[in-house]
Amino acid sequence: MADKILAKDKLADFLGKLQADYEVYAPQEVEGKAQWAPLEDAGKALWEFSNTSMSPKDFFFPQTEVLMRFKNVQDHESGMVMEAEPPLDKKRLLLNIRPCDAKAFQVLDLIFVQDEMTNDLYWKDKRDMTTLVGLACSDPCPSCFCTSMNCGPASTTGLDALLFDLGDKLLVRSLTEKGEAVAEGLDDAAEGDTAAAAEQATTAEGKISSSVGMDNVNSRSVMELYEAGMWDRVFENCLNCGTCTYVCPTCHCFDIQDETQGTEGRRVRNWDNCMSWLFTMHGTGHNPRGTKKDRVRQRFMHKFKYIPVKRGGEIGCVGCGRCVVLCPVNIDVRRVVNDMNA
């Protein structure tokens, strides 16, 4: 697939073409933050930003999602009536998604889409209907450590196309058939443009100064890591507020509840988090993760040991650094994992 070139002064025409086939979303400045929003004006798309405040996982795994609706009519021959929620009625396109966030969807595919018997249809429907057009990072922020997590500033994993910002133009690299459809009609890139994109990727990777070691985490047994003495101090500052889980692009704990009013109701799936004691509370009153230490250890063991063991070595973290920036008590995931690896 040949690289293409899109001049920035043609972005409005390019967006108009996309809007004929897709609902287009992109990071924009909203209330002083880079946030995802419907893109109606090409001029509002952000091209220079570190990352969005929240990851785009909400597009596939909404904070609150209706799974079905039901009506309980006892005196009717049909009795309990259940109605499935309709799938998306139009394709979607996420423009300028960062490579780390796209990589996170590939990780979550391993959780939600495992085989035909257990696929999560709500996740898969949205994934099938969505095209991901990434924007390579040229200036990673100090909290990024994506290169330690099987990712990088110009990683293509999970993307349909990747853009490189070359100033007054964009290099468009198609990676899938969905990406080719987006780039259709654009002019071929010159050799100099492709070389500039490669140089930008190398330079950006060199700017990432944070690193996390995983060699010993991988080689040690689950029980050896579980019983490590470091957990006796890591949990002390944690508030169990759950901020790290909500901003994380790969966290996916949820709870399912039936909400009823009269004879009608709906079944909803809501984000939950492993930092909450209630998340693992059994009906008997027993809680297998009843202490703060249990819950903090679970979060890190799940991402850096349990998921790699069960998912072919894939790590449940992409190194986006959001939890590093937003933790109210400055718990740094890089320091914790390096302690696990010591």
Side-chain angles (χ1 to χ4, degrees):
M1 301 178 186
D3 290 342
K4 304 288 184 180
I5 279 293
L6 170 62
K8 282 189 176 177
D9 60 5
K10 302 292 185 185
L11 276 173
D13 294 338
F14 181 69
L15 176 62
K17 174 188 169 187
L18 293 179
Q19 287 172 328
D21 297 318
Y22 308 91
E23 291 178 352
V24 181
Y25 298 84
Q28 298 164 59
E29 186 171 336
V30 180
E31 298 178 345
K33 298 178 180 177
Q35 300 188 47
W36 285 93
L39 184 61
E40 298 172 353
D41 179 349
K44 292 186 176 180
L46 293 180
W47 298 97
E48 296 181 5
F49 62 101
S50 56
N51 213 336
T52 52
S53 56
M54 293 290 288
S55 86
K57 72 178 177 184
D58 191 68
F59 283 102
F60 306 101
F61 175 49
Q63 187 170 356
T64 295
E65 180 174 27
V66 178
L67 304 180
M68 70 172 192
R69 299 178 190 275
F70 53 86
K71 183 180 296 183
N72 190 10
V73 186
Q74 297 291 342
D75 57 355
H76 192 276
E77 61 181 10
S78 56
M80 177 72 78
V81 178
M82 293 177 283
E83 297 179 353
E85 281 295 282
L88 295 179
D89 57 4
K90 188 174 183 179
K91 293 187 292 184
R92 298 188 303 195
L93 187 146
L94 304 189
L95 182 68
N96 291 357
I97 183 173
R98 289 302 191 191
C100 56
D101 285 336
K103 166 71 178 178
F105 296 145
Q106 181 259 339
V107 174
L108 289 180
D109 282 342
L110 300 175
I111 308 296
F112 287 117
V113 188
Q114 298 185 22
D115 57 63
E116 292 184 358
M117 296 297 292
T118 60
N119 285 345
D120 186 307
L121 300 179
Y122 305 96
W123 169 273
K124 190 173 185 305
D125 170 56
K126 299 179 188 67
R127 289 283 279 142
D128 290 343
M129 291 286 284
T130 304
T131 298
L132 301 180
V133 178
L135 176 63
C137 292
S138 60
D139 192 19
C141 53
S143 56
C144 291
F145 57 105
C146 56
T147 48
S148 298
M149 296 288 111
N150 300 331
C151 192
S155 168
T156 57
T157 303
L159 288 169
D160 296 300
L162 178 62
L163 308 179
F164 292 85
D165 189 346
L166 302 181
D168 61 351
K169 56 190 173 183
L170 300 164
L171 182 135
V172 184
R173 179 164 296 163
S174 301
L175 303 165
T176 66
E177 291 185 0
K178 286 182 177 179
E180 281 192 319
V182 171
E184 186 177 1
L186 298 178
D187 295 332
D188 288 346
E191 289 185 8
D193 295 325
T194 299
E199 183 179 355
Q200 182 188 102
T202 301
T203 302
E205 192 165 319
K207 291 181 179 178
I208 296 178
S209 56
S210 298
S211 64
V212 170
M214 287 286 291
D215 292 348
N216 292 332
V217 174
N218 293 332
S219 63
R220 287 173 181 153
S221 70
V222 168
M223 289 311 300
E224 185 179 0
L225 282 172
Y226 184 89
E227 293 173 346
M230 56 162 287
W231 301 117
D232 289 332
R233 52 183 169 76
V234 168
F235 79 93
E236 289 180 336
N237 291 340
C238 181
L239 304 176
N240 275 177
C241 66
T243 297
C244 52
T245 68
Y246 295 131
V247 301
C248 175
T250 63
C251 277
H252 54 276
C253 292
F254 61 83
D255 185 31
I256 294 177
Q257 299 178 346
D258 285 350
E259 298 176 347
T260 62
Q261 185 170 22
T263 60
E264 299 183 1
R266 63 179 193 170
R267 180 160 296 173
V268 296
R269 173 162 66 181
N270 299 308
W271 287 3
D272 206 334
N273 79 85
C274 59
M275 294 292 98
S276 167
W277 67 272
L278 188 59
F279 183 64
T280 48
M281 175 63 80
H282 293 184
T284 62
H286 170 66
N287 194 334
R289 294 201 288 269
T291 69
K292 187 166 71 172
K293 174 184 172 181
D294 295 330
R295 295 189 287 276
V296 171
R297 176 170 53 192
Q298 164 64 22
R299 171 170 168 74
F300 293 106
M301 287 289 287
H302 189 208
K303 287 185 170 299
F304 299 99
K305 190 61 180 179
Y306 302 153
I307 287 180
V309 167
K310 293 183 177 180
R311 308 298 171 204
E314 193 57 81
I315 307 171
C317 173
V318 294
C320 70
R322 287 185 176 91
C323 62
V324 176
V325 174
L326 294 172
C327 176
V329 293
N330 298 321
I331 293 177
D332 191 323
V333 62
R334 298 168 296 185
R335 187 163 59 240
V336 175
V337 179
N338 280 329
D339 285 349
M340 292 171 70
N341 198 57

